[in-house]
Amino acid sequence: MDNAANHEMAVDMLRCHLGMSKQEALEELGLEEMPSIEQQVINAQSQVANDTSH
């Protein structure tokens, strides 16, 4: 599983409960900008395509 997915709940908690912006929450967790949902789907589809072609 992608690190972005693993840390999504932590980012959401910081944003909702502490009122941080997304960028502030990411910095607090020591993370870079997370890829968008669309980019995550593209990455997953590419990996599946690569796995099935081998």
Side-chain angles (χ1 to χ4, degrees):
M1 181 175 271
D2 189 276
N3 275 344
N6 291 336
H7 299 293
E8 186 174 350
M9 183 180 282
V11 170
D12 288 345
M13 289 180 67
L14 290 173
R15 293 182 72 198
C16 294
H17 296 285
L18 299 179
M20 292 182 172
S21 69
K22 181 177 180 181
Q23 188 59 41
E24 289 171 328
L26 291 170
E27 289 173 7
E28 181 69 24
L29 295 170
L31 302 172
E32 296 178 12
E33 181 66 34
M34 296 188 326
S36 68
I37 296 297
E38 293 82 6
Q39 188 60 49
Q40 290 180 42
V41 169
I42 291 168
N43 293 345
Q45 289 173 336
S46 295
Q47 186 169 356
V48 168
N50 288 336
D51 290 347
T52 59
S53 67
H54 293 143

